[in-house]
Amino acid sequence: MFALSPLETEAIQLSLRVAGVAVLACLPLGVLTAWVLARHDFFGKSVLNGIVHLPLVVPPVVIGYLLLVTFGRNGPVGRWLWDTFEISIAFSWKGAAVAAGVMAFPLMVRAIRLSFEGVDKGLEDAARTLGAPRWWVFLTITLPLILPGILTGVILAFARSLGEFGATITFVSNIPGETRTLPLALYSLTQVPDGESGAMRLVFIAVALALIALIASEALSRRISKRMGG
Amino acid sequence: MPHRSLILCFFLILLALFALLIPRAVIAAPSIKIFAAASLSAAMEEAVRVFEKKTGHRVVPVFASSSNLAKQILNGAPADVIISANQSWMDRLERENRVEPGSRVTFLGNYLSLVAPAKSDAGFIWGTKTRLSELLQGGRLAMGDPDHVPVGLYGKAALQSLGLWDDISPHLAPAPNARAALAYIERGETPLGIVYSSDLIGRKKLREVARFPKSAYPPIIYPLAVIKARSSSAVKAFVTFLQSNAAQAIFSRHGFLPSGATN
Amino acid sequence: MTQPTSLNINVKRRLGDTHLDVQFQSDGGLTAFFGRSGSGKTSLVNLLAGLDTPDAGIIEVGGVSLYDSVNAINIPPEKRRLGYVFQDSRLFPHMSVNGNLRYGMRFAPRHDTGDEQHQDFGEIVDLLGLTTLLERQPASLSGGEKQRVAIGRALLACPRLLLMDEPLASVDAGRKSEIIAFIENLRDQLEIPIVYVTHDLAEVIRLADTMVILDNGRAVASGDVENIMSRLDLRPLTGRYEAGAVIAAVVVRHDEEFGLTELGFAGNSLWVPRLDLASGASLRVRIRARDVSLSRARPEDTSILNIFEGKIVEITEDEGPQQEILIDIGTPLIARITRKSLKQLNLQTGDTVFTMVKAAAIDRHSLGFGGSRDRRNKLEIKPGR
């Protein structure tokens, strides 16, 4: 009963890989974007904020289509990637990772931005008066203090990536072993007249994965808070 | 007082919600709801316009993949007529007693085509090559998901019977429905694709590479049925209209095989 | 000639409703910025530290220009080499005390030998009594302990000037004297000048050599503490209730039988309750105006031990029932008496009067060891009779 079928194993492995890569790729850009939005005021700030949040409010299928138009073989970026690096992300797990990453990005940025705004600027000032240049202050003071926020952002993004469907299936379609992540495998099973039982198994697996991620993040979060709040 | 305006806002929102929730049937004139396979959309909309003008009945068509439509009906969606792109989902609906007994008819037929983007010069003659993948040049073949999308199921059957399936199956781009597959090919994302022959009509971005031999796949039949207990006179009139010469002519023009030819 | 520890400040800054416009100079030691909340003290210190930029002006420390609007000089805070002890200590919560202390050492200018830096650490940890706290987390420290760590952290960054912004504000009363003692020690043992911000006059008297009074963003007066405290015109700013002259004195001897100490100043003797100080130790005494009485004739058969003869220099013309009188008894002294007595005694400027101060009126809070070692050594204090 607990043995996993090849279809399930493949879907789980693919989902974990796609979500993992998506989150790791989002992280540096996410921290940077959150920092810009939290600490700076500039012309066009609300436009940037709007663009970052687009995947939250626009139907995922639309985002998937936009990704297809941009990163597909005939899209501007896709063609450049192919000509320059011989990289093609359409119809591959890399494309799935991009789709997952794009959909999860706003969640990550929100969490990290909140964290930035919670950092006492006075501590950064104090570090500067002690002789630390700005980048050192960022690395040794700001980053450690926003760690809980980064963790939250990562977990949220990971969970969102695990569950990403609409943009993925539109951009990279449903290729077994390549782009058939858990949600897509679930979808396939529900489309077949007698696939319901298989689908339920996948549902349990997906829920279990999500719960594990959430519990792990709680535990980590608590440990970090303890270290800082005594 | 800020409190008062907040409470007013709250009640206004509640009112709006109630208004939106009132069943449309109470406000709107009664209409006929058609659930139809996505590939029928252009043709069906034209037929519906003719019918509405002729009879004054209102028809609301809903297009989606046949599996989604069937599942929604199984879960109680208020459709009056279902037109599926393959038999198995219709069989399921009959098994589950969702269909008015005796109302099931063969409505339309279709053919299967191997297509490429308009700019491509790919050529293929059945039986001359054993590997379709050579034409792909590293790309993929777009088709409806061969696990459950009707056009994909037909495509897989055809490829299997022609001995081309094993070679090509690792290089597929399985789309969630026929429309998505079309999008891949039209955009040039995939060098090859399999679609209904009817999808070629009027599409300048597509080019037929070869039509699949009829013998290679089970006949593509669109069954039509009335949903149980929805058989009103208006519905009956619409079903009759669909099978009339005038309607069949419309569907022919859109590349479908009229039901007379398939029976 | 600019000393390595001199301060030259002339800045203007507009922040919301506050217009800061301050000019003053000092030669080092401990300079106190004194004023009410909102008078601009913290803003001024932030300008010194580089955390805020003046609209115009110049800031020079030890002859080095940190900010000069004319020559477009504006050195960023991390390069100014100033130590800043904040009111709320601002210890880094994610580092231990040890980590906090060492934070600035990485950027401190290298000494000639590697040894010197290591020595500094041990020395300062000892000086501030932090040895047992090194592995603790800041969240588990008391307010007083936090401030000691904050001071240590600022010092270990090898600053050329120490800024302290109301360092005792978040420390509970019991601990305050402990920390003040530390700061006194610091002032005496370390060569670096200190800028000390406070709204508490007792701290100024105890610690400062020079003081700058800030009111509404302007430096209203600056100079030696004794001088400023004896100016009647500044009383509204220095606090009427606490007003009084500050006198530099030296311990002459102790009277064991009666538990008293004799302090000598300007040719007079001041008797106070027994102090725990060695003979020859110099100190500052604040004599509150409300503790000073006047008489035209030398009182006889009185319980008061401290009677000084002097000439009236200035008489205030305040509203209200009380007036203050500045008397020169060899050093300035301020007395507060009722307007009625003033009229009845018909006191005029230039009159000779006798001032009386009860020994018991001089308490611990009135004493300080103001001024750096060098400065005190320069003062010539003559013991009394």
Side-chain angles (χ1 to χ4, degrees), chain C residues 239-345:
Chain C
R240 296 204 61 184
Y241 188 67
E242 295 295 310
V246 173
I247 294 175
V250 152
V251 174
V252 176
R253 63 184 172 93
H254 300 289
D255 184 334
E256 297 302 341
E257 192 193 341
F258 291 110
L260 296 173
T261 296
E262 180 184 357
L263 302 176
F265 70 95
N268 286 307
S269 280
L270 180 70
W271 288 96
V272 299
R274 176 83 165 73
L275 295 177
D276 206 5
L277 292 168
S279 291
S282 47
L283 70 160
R284 257 188 203 150
V285 186
R286 174 172 54 170
I287 303 179
R288 291 187 183 79
R290 59 187 161 99
D291 294 328
V292 180
S293 328
L294 291 183
S295 168
R296 275 211 176 271
R298 181 182 288 277
E300 310 206 345
D301 291 334
T302 164
S303 68
I304 298 181
L305 292 178
N306 298 310
I307 302 174
F308 311 114
E309 181 179 343
K311 262 206 173 72
I312 295 182
V313 173
E314 193 186 333
I315 303 178
T316 65
E317 280 160 35
D318 290 337
E319 292 170 4
Q322 311 218 308
Q323 301 295 339
E324 265 149 39
I325 306 183
L326 182 64
I327 302 142
D328 182 7
I329 57 171
T331 190
L333 186 66
I334 301 178
R336 183 183 295 159
I337 61 174
T338 60
R339 200 155 23 103
K340 180 174 178 181
S341 301
L342 182 63
K343 189 156 179 235
Q344 280 184 332
L345 294 174

Side-chain angles (χ1 to χ4, degrees), chain C residues 71-309:
Chain C
N71 293 323
I73 298 177
N74 187 9
I75 301 186
E78 55 266 24
K79 297 219 175 75
R80 289 198 181 191
R81 306 241 52 80
L82 304 175
Y84 197 152
V85 179
F86 298 86
Q87 216 178 87
D88 48 352
S89 67
R90 298 197 191 174
L91 299 183
F92 306 131
H94 57 295
M95 296 181 191
S96 65
V97 166
N98 195 7
N100 267 279
L101 288 172
R102 290 185 185 273
Y103 190 83
M105 288 173 73
R106 174 186 286 264
F107 302 100
R110 296 253 166 273
H111 292 284
D112 287 327
T113 61
D115 274 1
E116 274 195 56
Q117 276 220 356
H118 179 76
Q119 247 188 351
D120 273 343
F121 187 80
E123 244 179 62
I124 287 178
V125 165
D126 276 339
L127 189 66
L128 292 163
L130 300 172
T131 331
T132 53
L133 301 175
L134 285 176
E135 294 312 314
R136 299 262 295 273
Q137 295 294 119
S140 67
L141 300 175
S142 71
E145 289 166 337
K146 279 190 190 148
Q147 282 301 54
R148 278 190 277 142
V149 176
I151 296 171
R153 180 177 72 177
L155 289 174
L156 286 166
C158 267
R160 62 172 124 216
L161 170 72
L162 194 62
L163 301 165
M164 304 181 94
D165 183 6
E166 308 215 37
L168 302 181
S170 338
V171 179
D172 57 64
R175 292 264 173 253
K176 268 193 193 176
S177 36
E178 189 187 311
I179 314 253
I180 286 196
F182 277 122
I183 299 177
E184 270 177 332
N185 236 354
L186 272 178
R187 181 200 59 200
D188 295 338
Q189 294 209 14
L190 302 171
E191 294 301 318
I192 51 181
I194 302 177
V195 166
Y196 189 97
V197 171
T198 182
H199 62 272
D200 185 334
L201 205 50
E203 291 171 31
V204 176
I205 289 171
R206 189 142 170 205
L207 298 170
D209 297 308
T210 14
M211 68 187 283
V212 178
I213 302 186
L214 290 165
D215 184 36
N216 257 328
R218 306 187 81 84
V220 175
S222 65
D224 284 350
V225 171
E226 289 89 350
N227 286 341
I228 302 271
M229 290 307 294
S230 65
R231 281 173 53 176
L232 294 181
D233 60 332
L234 294 175
R235 280 169 312 124
L237 296 166
T238 53
R240 296 204 61 184
Y241 188 67
E242 295 295 310
V246 173
I247 294 175
V250 152
V251 174
V252 176
R253 63 184 172 93
H254 300 289
D255 184 334
E256 297 302 341
E257 192 193 341
F258 291 110
L260 296 173
T261 296
E262 180 184 357
L263 302 176
F265 70 95
N268 286 307
S269 280
L270 180 70
W271 288 96
V272 299
R274 176 83 165 73
L275 295 177
D276 206 5
L277 292 168
S279 291
S282 47
L283 70 160
R284 257 188 203 150
V285 186
R286 174 172 54 170
I287 303 179
R288 291 187 183 79
R290 59 187 161 99
D291 294 328
V292 180
S293 328
L294 291 183
S295 168
R296 275 211 176 271
R298 181 182 288 277
E300 310 206 345
D301 291 334
T302 164
S303 68
I304 298 181
L305 292 178
N306 298 310
I307 302 174
F308 311 114
E309 181 179 343

Side-chain angles (χ1 to χ4, degrees), chain A residues 68-69 72-75 91 169-175 180 187-188 190-193 196, chain B residues 65 67-68 71 89 92 138-140 145 147-148 172-176 184 187-190:
Chain A
L68 187 65
V69 167
R73 293 195 138 209
N74 286 320
F91 306 123
I169 202 170
T170 311
F171 178 31
V172 295
S173 81
N174 195 356
I175 304 168
R180 183 175 289 184
Y187 169 74
S188 295
T190 60
Q191 299 293 41
V192 173
E196 266 95 0
Chain B
S65 85
S67 45
N68 279 338
K71 272 147 49 140
W89 276 109
R92 175 87 185 270
R140 287 182 176 261
D145 197 321
D147 286 342
H148 58 86
L172 298 178
Y184 286 142
R187 287 204 48 81
E189 292 302 324
T190 55

Side-chain angles (χ1 to χ4, degrees), chain A residues 11-72:
Chain A
I12 295 172
Q13 280 178 341
L14 195 59
S15 272
L16 288 175
R17 182 179 356 153
V18 164
V21 168
V23 167
L24 283 175
C26 272
L27 199 51
L29 189 62
V31 172
L32 180 66
T33 312
W35 178 71
V36 167
L37 288 174
R39 290 286 170 87
H40 300 78
D41 260 322
F42 50 92
F43 181 76
K45 180 174 175 176
S46 34
V47 174
L48 176 64
N49 203 27
I51 293 177
V52 165
H53 283 79
L54 221 52
L56 273 185
V57 297
V58 165
V61 175
V62 172
I63 300 287
Y65 183 69
L66 285 171
L67 286 173
L68 187 65
V69 167
T70 317
F71 289 92

